Amino acid sequence: MTGRDGRIGSAGTGTAPDISGPAAPPRTNGELVFAEPWEGRAFGMAVTLAESGLISWDGFRDRLVARIAEDPRWPYYASWLAALEDVLVGAGRIGTDDVRARATRLADRPAGHDHGQGHGVRHAP
């Protein structure tokens, strides 16, 4: 949930991270913009981890700014995800090998594998 001050978080938590400044995500008419579902998931994961205290929002934001500076042409949410991985690995929450293994498993899944399953959507045989 976004507030008028550009902060994101759950209502009433009081721990909404500040996402303004050089690390601010793309917006259209003040609303967050996600081109792909994974972008929204990566965004939500970082916010949730910060709100729960499992990562430092300031540390994440600093790492995101550094990732963006490394290659400003790289897509924003690719930098976001890389920064999140950096922070999780740096905090010892996940190992570098775990990140690679999970990325490989996800990349190997067929396109559309999790869309419409059990929601009344029929897939062609």
Side-chain angles (χ1 to χ4, degrees):
M1 175 161 75
T2 59
R4 291 181 186 206
D5 62 356
R7 292 168 62 94
I8 302 295
S10 301
T13 64
T15 59
D18 181 4
I19 58 167
S20 57
R27 295 177 187 263
T28 298
N29 294 326
E31 297 293 323
L32 293 169
V33 176
F34 304 107
E36 299 289 336
W38 72 265
E39 295 175 349
R41 291 180 191 129
F43 177 87
M45 190 179 333
V47 170
T48 300
L49 289 168
E51 287 180 339
S52 66
L54 292 173
I55 66 170
S56 156
W57 183 260
D58 290 342
F60 169 73
R61 186 184 56 232
D62 292 347
R63 191 66 203 124
L64 176 57
V65 169
R67 279 290 189 161
I68 292 169
E70 288 172 15
D71 188 350
R73 296 167 299 174
W74 215 31
Y76 177 82
Y77 283 107
S79 296
W80 180 282
L81 187 56
L84 182 56
E85 290 171 358
D86 292 346
V87 169
L88 290 170
V89 168
R93 302 261 179 220
I94 190 168
T96 304
D97 291 338
D98 293 329
V99 172
R100 278 192 222 110
R102 289 176 190 205
T104 299
R105 275 198 318 270
L106 291 172
D108 288 343
R109 290 167 33 180
H113 72 282
D114 63 348
H115 300 283
Q117 304 278 328
H119 299 287
V121 176
R122 302 180 105 183
H123 297 278

